[in-house]
Amino acid sequence: MTGKLGASLIDVRGRPLRDLRISVTDRCNFRCRYCMPREHFGSAYRYLDRDDLLALGEIERLARLFVSLGVRKIRLTGGEPLLRRGIEEVVQALASIPDVDLAMTTNGVLLPAKADRLAAAGLRRATVSLDSLDDAVFAEVTDTAVPVARVLAGIEAATRAGLTPIKINMVVKNTVNESSVLPMAEHFRGSGHILRFIEYMDVGATNHWQLGEVLPSATVVRMIDARYPLVPIAPSHPGEVATRYRYRDGAGEIGVIGSVTQSFCGTCSRARLSADGKLHTCLFASAGTDLRGLLRAGASDDELLAVIRGLWTAREDRYSELRGRPRTAGNRVEMSYIGG
Ligand code: SAM
Ligand code: SF4
Ligand code: SF4
C-alpha cells in the first residue's frame, strides 16, 4: 500500500508528499507587520473558537494518516504554537509516531517556560524566528514591546533542553532590517545555531507586500561573504528549501531561502493543515479542504485517506513560479491561519 515506509504519494508534477505543517492555533502574542499587521489583527479580529480547533486526538489521527501516506517530517507552527493550551500533549502524541522527524517553529518568547517540558514530551528540534538584535528594529518588525533579550533567552533555554541544532529564521525586508543582516550573522557565527535568511513573501492579503521591499537572497549572501567568506554546501536532500553555505573559517553555516527570487516549487513536498483542520497544498492557497468536517461526520480512515490521496495526486500548485501572472491574484488565506 502507498503508506509503506519509502513509498510515496506523487502529485501531477512528480512531487512526493513528505512534509506536513500543522498549525495548532491562529493566535499570536506578536503582530509582525509582514504576517499579522495590527490594523487587520486588532481587537475586533475574530479568531477561531476553541471548539473550532482540531482536538488533540484529531491532530494525532490525521498525522498518523499522513505518515502512512509518506510524510516523514512534521512541523508544528501557527500563529504562535506555544500559545496552544496543551501543546506538550500535542508534541507527545506526535513524537510517538514512528519514522517522523518532529520540529516546531516559534517566536521563542515562551521557550524559557516551556523548552524543558517540550523536550521531555519528545520534541527534537526548534526553529526560532528573530529578525534583528536591535530592540528598535525588532519592535518595528514585531509591533510588540518584547525586548530581543526575551527571544535570546528562549534560544538559550531551547539549547539547554537539547532542541538542537536550532535554526534561527530571519525574514529580511530591505526597508526595515537590512542593517541587521551582518550583526545577526556575527552573533550566531560559532554558536552552533543555523541562521537562515528568508525573503519577505507576499503571503496572505494584509501585509501590503511590494516586490521592491524584498532583499534578494543573493544580496544577503554577497553581504556576508564580503565580511566572512562563505563556501556553498551541496543540498542534503531533494526538496531542501534553504540554499546552504558554510563559513570558510569553520564558524558554522547559514542558509538562504529565496522564496521570491529563486522559487523552489519544483521540489515542494509540503502540505499544510490549518488549526481548524483544513488541508492546503500550497502556502498561497485561497481555500482548503475541510478534513475536520469529515472527521467529525464520522469518516473512516480509509475515507480520509482517499480524500488526501485524491487531493495530492491532483496537486498542481506552483505559485512562486507563476508569481505576478494574472491567474495568481486571489484571496489568499493568512499565514498565521494556514501555518507558516
Ligand atoms: N509564530 C511562529 C514564528 O514566528 O516563528 C510560527 C509561525 S510564523 C507564521 C512561521 C514563519 O513564517 C516565521 O519564521 C516567520 O518569520 C515567517 N513569516 C511570516 N510571514 C512571512 C512573510 N510575509 N514572508 C516571509 N516569512 C514570513
Ligand atoms: Fe506571530 Fe510568527 Fe506571524 Fe510573527 S511571524 S505574527 S510571531 S505568527
Ligand atoms: Fe510549495 Fe506553493 Fe511555495 Fe511553490 S508556492 S514552494 S508549491 S508552497
Side-chain angles (χ1 to χ4, degrees), residues 32-216:
C32 302
R33 292 186 197 277
Y34 52 63
C35 179
M36 298 180 74
R38 200 175 288 279
E39 308 82 83
H40 186 73
F41 294 90
S43 51
Y45 184 79
R46 189 75 208 276
Y47 292 95
L48 295 170
D49 287 335
R50 180 106 70 93
D51 292 346
D52 293 330
L53 301 180
L54 285 179
L56 171 63
E58 293 173 329
I59 295 176
E60 181 179 358
R61 183 172 166 206
L62 287 176
R64 286 184 184 275
L65 293 178
F66 276 96
V67 171
S68 81
L69 291 172
V71 162
R72 293 292 169 262
K73 281 189 182 177
I74 296 181
R75 179 170 293 277
L76 293 170
T77 180
E80 173 46 42
L82 295 182
L83 289 182
R84 163 89 185 215
R85 199 168 298 184
I87 186 65
E88 296 85 352
E89 284 77 40
V90 176
V91 167
Q92 190 164 27
L94 300 187
S96 71
I97 305 176
D99 307 315
V100 171
D101 174 23
L102 180 64
M104 178 185 286
T105 303
T106 168
N107 63 28
V109 170
L110 294 172
L111 277 174
K114 291 187 180 258
D116 285 341
R117 274 182 281 153
L118 292 168
L123 189 67
R124 292 281 158 265
R125 288 184 301 107
T127 296
V128 180
S129 303
L130 177 63
D131 296 336
S132 182
L133 293 167
D134 180 290
D135 277 325
V137 176
F138 187 69
E140 193 182 341
V141 174
T142 59
D143 201 4
T144 63
V146 172
V148 171
R150 290 266 302 277
V151 181
L152 294 178
I155 294 171
E156 267 173 41
T159 309
R160 278 196 305 274
L163 302 177
T164 52
I166 294 176
K167 289 181 185 150
I168 313 290
N169 276 359
M170 172 175 177
V171 175
V172 192
K173 261 176 106 167
N174 63 10
T175 44
V176 178
N177 61 344
E178 180 173 347
S179 61
S180 299
V181 168
L182 274 180
M184 285 283 286
E186 205 152 287
H187 183 87
F188 288 106
R189 267 168 52 81
S191 68
H193 307 321
I194 301 169
L195 178 58
R196 306 187 320 163
F197 299 90
I198 303 177
E199 285 177 355
Y200 168 45
M201 288 186 286
D202 47 341
V203 290
T206 58
N207 66 8
H208 305 293
W209 180 88
Q210 291 181 22
L211 183 58
E213 292 179 312
V214 176
L215 187 71

Side-chain angles (χ1 to χ4, degrees), residues 264-265 268 270 272 282-284 315 317-320:
F264 36 79
C265 298
C268 178
R270 285 174 295 284
R272 290 179 154 84
C282 179
L283 177 56
F284 297 90
R315 175 186 190 242
D317 304 288
R318 52 184 187 124
Y319 175 87
S320 284

Side-chain angles (χ1 to χ4, degrees), residues 222-304:
R222 267 199 305 277
M223 285 165 71
I224 298 174
D225 182 57
R227 181 77 165 271
Y228 302 110
L230 294 169
V231 181
I233 310 178
S236 60
H237 59 85
E240 188 166 63
V241 296
T243 307
R244 296 157 62 212
Y245 296 83
R246 63 178 173 79
Y247 289 109
R248 192 176 290 162
D249 65 4
E253 71 172 77
I254 62 158
V256 290
I257 303 183
S259 335
V260 177
T261 61
Q262 300 158 335
S263 127
F264 36 79
C265 298
T267 54
C268 178
S269 53
R270 285 174 295 284
R272 290 179 154 84
L273 193 56
S274 65
D276 60 350
K278 295 211 175 60
L279 179 63
H280 300 84
T281 55
C282 179
L283 177 56
F284 297 90
S286 49
T289 300
D290 184 12
L291 298 185
R292 186 197 67 186
L294 295 171
L295 276 173
R296 293 186 184 174
S300 67
D301 284 355
D302 283 343
E303 284 164 339
L304 288 162

